[in-house]
Amino acid sequence: MDTLYFLLILIGAFLIYSVITWLYQRKIVKALTEEDFRAGYRKAQLIDVREPNEFDAGHILGARNIPLSQLKMRLKEIRPDKPVYLYCQSGTRSGRAAQLLYKKGYKDLSHLQGGFKKWSGKIKAKG
């Protein structure tokens, strides 16, 4: 019985954490539809936060690859005074990247709703 209570408390804590994170991300980053993303990304810094092998397999034309795992070390490559458009495969990592950037003073943050897997525009692939 104690194990059941422990599991229920653990699940409850995880759900509360997930909801708080989701609400925080909604406050700091604009989730854009593909149409809205396409309308503004050429005037912004377009950052693909996926890993290099994912980027090489296909990415949005004009995107720079700064993986989430390297973002803290490569912040100097992103200007805080210009809009930042982020995307990853599904939208999870770009949301986490936005949180990190927001804490470092970046304010104009947007990400592609649904991520790269929902993108139907032009892409570039290596090989």
Side-chain angles (χ1 to χ4, degrees):
M1 202 59 138
D2 289 340
T3 308
L4 179 63
Y5 287 130
F6 178 74
L7 284 173
L8 288 173
I9 289 169
L10 204 60
I11 291 168
F14 177 75
L15 289 173
I16 290 168
Y17 172 78
S18 297
V19 167
I20 290 170
T21 301
W22 179 74
L23 290 171
Y24 180 63
Q25 282 184 5
R26 284 197 47 179
K27 182 182 146 197
I28 64 167
V29 63
K30 293 180 270 285
L32 301 177
T33 63
E34 181 180 344
E35 189 178 316
D36 292 336
F37 195 85
R38 196 184 300 249
Y41 83 88
R42 285 189 179 88
K43 295 179 223 112
Q45 301 169 90
L46 181 59
I47 312 294
D48 183 328
V49 297
R50 300 175 302 157
E51 291 302 313
N53 61 322
E54 295 172 283
F55 181 81
D56 290 346
H59 58 271
I60 298 173
L61 228 48
R64 279 187 290 157
N65 185 219
I66 303 177
L68 179 60
S69 59
Q70 300 174 13
L71 192 58
K72 279 184 184 173
M73 297 173 289
R74 296 178 62 186
L75 282 175
K76 288 182 179 75
E77 296 177 40
I78 306 170
R79 291 178 50 178
D81 60 327
K82 289 185 74 180
V84 180
Y85 276 44
L86 302 159
Y87 74 92
C88 62
Q89 194 63 27
S90 65
T92 305
R93 286 177 282 179
S94 57
R96 289 207 315 261
Q99 284 180 288
L100 184 122
L101 290 170
Y102 186 80
K103 286 178 187 168
K104 298 293 183 183
Y106 295 79
K107 299 298 179 218
D108 194 351
L109 301 166
S110 301
H111 79 127
L112 179 59
Q113 198 173 350
F116 184 72
K117 67 181 179 185
K118 299 277 188 187
W119 181 256
S120 64
K122 289 185 179 176
I123 64 167
K124 182 177 182 180
K126 283 191 178 171

